[in-house]
Amino acid sequence: QLQASGGGLVQAGASLRLSCTVSGRTFSRYGMGWFRQAPGMEREFVAAFRGSSGTTHYADSVKGRFTISRDNAKNTIYLQMNSLKPEDTAVYYCVADTPPFAILSMMRSGSSYEYWGQGTQVTVSS
């Protein structure tokens, strides 16, 4: 199971940190990431770890503002979101699959991931 938390209502320019804890699995074997979906919009890739090296990748829209990280000892990944904008408003989902995707297109595609968290709402007011 993937349990996401940390969403909320903030003003533009503020920061939030999302967390996603994995239970019942060997966390270190999983490639993980974050997607988001705004009302009436397509689901979109936000950030993920690529392949066994775990290099981080970001959507252009969040690059430089968001940081994905993981703590294997706590079975948790994080998404630190700084300088939030109203267009960041969405439900954020953490995702997981094994083995971690080495192919960039697969890593960036939501349909590649078998496991999804329940989502946490992030609302950024202007």
Side-chain angles (χ1 to χ4, degrees):
Q1 279 189 330
L2 279 66
Q3 184 70 37
S5 61
L9 171 62
V10 297
Q11 290 189 328
S15 298
L16 280 175
R17 188 177 79 158
L18 306 183
S19 301
C20 178
T21 300
V22 180
S23 59
R25 305 186 186 278
T26 306
F27 179 77
S28 60
R29 296 180 182 175
Y30 282 75
M32 300 191 67
W34 293 93
F35 284 72
R36 68 186 182 185
Q37 188 166 22
M41 303 291 286
E42 296 277 325
R43 179 179 61 197
E44 65 172 348
F45 168 79
V46 176
F49 299 98
R50 181 182 181 184
S52 57
S53 67
T55 54
T56 56
H57 290 260
Y58 299 91
D60 288 343
S61 58
V62 306
K63 201 172 294 183
R65 299 187 298 120
F66 290 13
T67 303
I68 188 173
S69 61
R70 67 190 293 163
D71 185 337
N72 285 347
K74 295 183 178 180
N75 282 12
T76 300
I77 66 167
Y78 303 96
L79 185 67
Q80 178 67 43
M81 305 185 294
N82 299 329
S83 302
L84 282 162
K85 304 175 180 179
E87 51 263 44
D88 294 318
T89 295
V91 177
Y92 284 71
Y93 298 91
C94 60
V95 296
D97 209 317
T98 186
F101 298 114
I103 300 173
L104 198 60
S105 59
M106 292 186 69
M107 185 199 69
R108 288 177 172 264
S109 173
S111 60
S112 299
Y113 294 87
E114 181 175 359
Y115 304 104
W116 287 72
Q118 85 285 7
T120 185
Q121 176 71 46
V122 172
T123 303
V124 184
S125 63
S126 57

